[in-house]
Amino acid sequence: MTSVIKSLQLDQSKFWIDNGILFCEIRHLDSHRYLNTETLETYLKAVNTLCEGKKVPILIDLRNTEGTFSINAAKTLATSLEFHNLIISEAYVVNSLKMKLLINSYKRIYEPLKPFIIFDNYNDALNYSIEAKNMHN
């Protein structure tokens, strides 16, 4: 059986679901760019649409990303019940110390309960997501 890949392109970000894993690739190369609440809410709607009520792991590729997020966006993500009810684990792929520190700070301050791991290798993040999906099922 072949899986159907559903995807949504939003500005410089792409979301898709394949084989029970939600993928997010964000490409923002402007180091002065902030993820604001409005953009985050658009992303959360995309997640909700793609997941169709099913719990999935998410793999977030931030290798081509600079910038940060606003405090309000961090709080919105941390308190989104819809997001937390759909996402069983988070795998981040980064290639900079800055992005790794940003994610660790966010998780420590705003959302310390959801399982997550930061990877510098995409395949390792994918394997983690597959294992999380299999354990959940």
Side-chain angles (χ1 to χ4, degrees):
M1 184 168 131
T2 308
S3 67
V4 177
I5 300 173
K6 297 178 258 181
S7 68
L8 293 170
Q9 182 75 40
L10 304 168
D11 187 30
Q12 297 178 29
S13 303
K14 181 179 178 183
F15 294 81
W16 70 99
I17 196 157
D18 185 18
N19 199 22
I21 298 172
L22 178 63
F23 295 86
C24 172
E25 181 179 293
I26 300 177
R27 294 177 173 264
H28 295 288
L29 298 176
D30 181 358
S31 62
H32 301 291
R33 185 172 180 146
Y34 286 83
L35 174 62
N36 59 39
T37 304
E38 182 180 321
T39 302
L40 177 65
E41 287 175 355
T42 302
Y43 290 175
L44 291 173
K45 286 178 187 174
V47 167
N48 189 45
T49 298
L50 290 170
C51 289
E52 298 176 330
K54 297 176 185 145
K55 294 183 93 149
V56 297
I58 187 169
L59 189 156
I60 303 169
D61 186 350
L62 298 169
R63 291 176 292 178
N64 294 303
T65 304
E66 292 289 331
T68 187
F69 48 81
S70 70
I71 292 172
N72 286 337
K75 288 178 180 178
T76 298
L77 182 58
T79 59
S80 171
L81 292 177
E82 203 169 65
F83 182 76
H84 292 288
N85 288 333
L86 292 172
I87 304 302
I88 58 177
S89 68
E90 300 168 356
Y92 296 89
V93 184
V94 301
N95 61 356
S96 73
L97 179 59
K98 176 184 172 185
M99 194 57 61
K100 185 175 185 175
L101 291 172
L102 180 68
I103 294 164
N104 274 321
S105 296
Y106 163 76
K107 296 300 285 185
R108 182 177 39 82
I109 296 168
Y110 296 105
E111 210 286 304
L113 301 177
K114 175 118 12 241
F116 80 100
I117 297 182
I118 301 172
F119 297 92
D120 59 7
N121 180 288
Y122 189 90
N123 289 331
D124 291 343
L126 180 58
N127 288 333
Y128 171 79
S129 298
I130 291 168
E131 288 176 23
K133 179 189 78 164
N134 291 340
M135 287 180 62
H136 181 72
N137 293 333

